[in-house]
Amino acid sequence: MTTHHASATPDLPLDMIIFGGTGDLSFRKLLPALYMAHLHCNLPPDTRILTIGRKPWSREEYINEFMEAKAKPFIEKKAFDAAAWDKFLALFEYVRMDVDSVEDYQRLKEASRDGVRRVFYLATSPDLFTHICENLSAAGLVDENSRVVLEKPLGHDLASAQEINTAVGKHFSEAQIYRIDHYLGKETVQNLMVLRFGNAIFGPLWQAPYIKRVQITVAEEVGVGSRAGFYDKTGALRDMVQNHLLQLLCIVAMEPPVSLDPDAVRDEKLKVLRSLRPMTPEDIARDTVRGQYTAGAVNGEPVKGYLEEDNVPPGSRAETFVALRAHINNWRWANVPFFLRTGKRMQKKVSEIVIEFSELPFSIIPSGGRNYGNRLVIQLQPEESIQLQMLAKEPGSGMHMLPVNLNLDLQQAFTERRAEAYERLLIDVIRGRLTHFMRRDELEAAWAWAEPILEGWSKSGDKPRGYTAGTFGPAASTALMARENAVWAEESQ
Ligand code: BG6
């Protein structure tokens, strides 16, 4: 699939229209990101922001109850400028709407201007995407300058994702659709492309048999918080693995694209997703681990178990942790396992990719009985760093080697401000840059691989394994690695 796109679209006046404008994502991420874009003069000169919600608020009430009370605290203190904030607020209009009511779209039509670029940001449940797009189109709000942003997770399985894509595709061309995965907006994730494709030294080594194994971990300290209504139906596989972790895997594993054009990059990611070896029921039983946190302590603070959290149905089987072993069936990666792991209420917040290079075929230098291989550790969060673990001589008489790190601290190397992922991606949408958004076929290939795992779990009748909050997940996750004489990164330090 290719998408015809205009890369440098001229800046038309902008109406940014946010569905779900009174929701969590809006006040935590979208509105602070738009404020930062405004502060740094990255919004087109004639911008208006129309937020849509069901609450019967006046504009003033929306500003006071929502923007001031809820969104403002999420703006970094040092970036807050009262004059810029006032100008920012002046861009806002609140449109009270019931998205189910056809008549209410006329109200939106009256509030939005003609001859502008309308960007519709659908920060709602995916069940509403089809309906909203149909109604926008019927109300005459969609034209060739419009764009639509779809939040993840897009659907809950392959069929629902296809259905939404087809329905949205009736009103917007592929080049107008921005399927967001905010991991693709992270500076460090984009930097991974530069590490791979801007540094010749890794090229020849970036494949089997020089790479033995890859680990990708996204561990969070937070629990489900107030999102149980959403999370309990979703679980970690749909919330994190199907999108964020698979996208990281794609960037690690893809062939060099011919350019940075959206389709060139997305074609290569698609090939990786299509090469993922489908998991059979036996693979699922052997190579996947799902867990659910039980009461414990994170950073010395006692925390509840998942089942005790607000709004979690009794006996819920939603997984808050997943570890699995994936394989990519192609020449570059044959027999190189990719271990993916994510969880809530883990011991510490860390997102990292560990490339484990093969060990020496034969060592003439003693290393205390261990055969160390070089490792490249790319940490995305909380620190942005790249470490290459090398073997060096232990000082003293005799010849012994030990691992030491060649350390690149990106926060020290570049002191410029780092924009948050949502800010960068919103600017990309406004400028018409699709490279860091998922194309339809990519998203569906990710679902095609993930769905059998969900089915396998539900057929097996097993419950997720409990793990104490504040640990790195159930013991079975350690065992998954131990089977091939390996350990997760934190256990090897
Ligand atoms: C979101 C998930 O997509 O990513 C959340 O829905 C998760 O459950 C979040 O907490 C993690 O994002 P980040 O940027 O904090 O790593």
Side-chain angles (χ1 to χ4, degrees), residues 99-100 105 122 124-138 142 148 150 154-155 159-172:
V99 296
D100 285 332
Y105 286 79
L122 308 195
T124 64
S125 150
D127 311 345
L128 297 173
F129 290 175
T130 300
H131 189 68
I132 293 176
C133 291
E134 272 166 11
N135 282 317
L136 286 173
S137 178
V142 180
V148 66
L150 306 177
L154 209 153
S160 56
Q162 283 169 329
E163 212 177 292
I164 294 171
N165 280 328
T166 302
V168 174
K170 287 191 184 135
H171 310 291
F172 295 88

Side-chain angles (χ1 to χ4, degrees), residues 207-233:
Q207 56 188 312
Y210 308 107
I211 292 180
K212 190 175 170 190
R213 180 182 307 112
V214 176
Q215 303 184 21
I216 302 179
T217 294
V218 177
E220 300 185 273
E221 285 174 8
V222 292
V224 67
S226 56
R227 295 166 75 220
F230 155 78
Y231 194 85
D232 199 72
K233 290 192 257 88

Side-chain angles (χ1 to χ4, degrees), residues 29 151-153 182-183 186 218 220 222 227 230-231 239-240 243-244 344 349 351 381 422:
K29 299 282 182 190
E151 255 300 330
K152 63 153 271 284
H182 79 282
Y183 268 58
K186 290 184 190 274
V218 177
E220 300 185 273
V222 292
R227 295 166 75 220
F230 155 78
Y231 194 85
D239 188 41
M240 300 293 289
N243 30 69
H244 303 327
K344 295 210 181 282
K349 178 175 169 79
S351 299
Q381 305 180 137
Y422 273 102

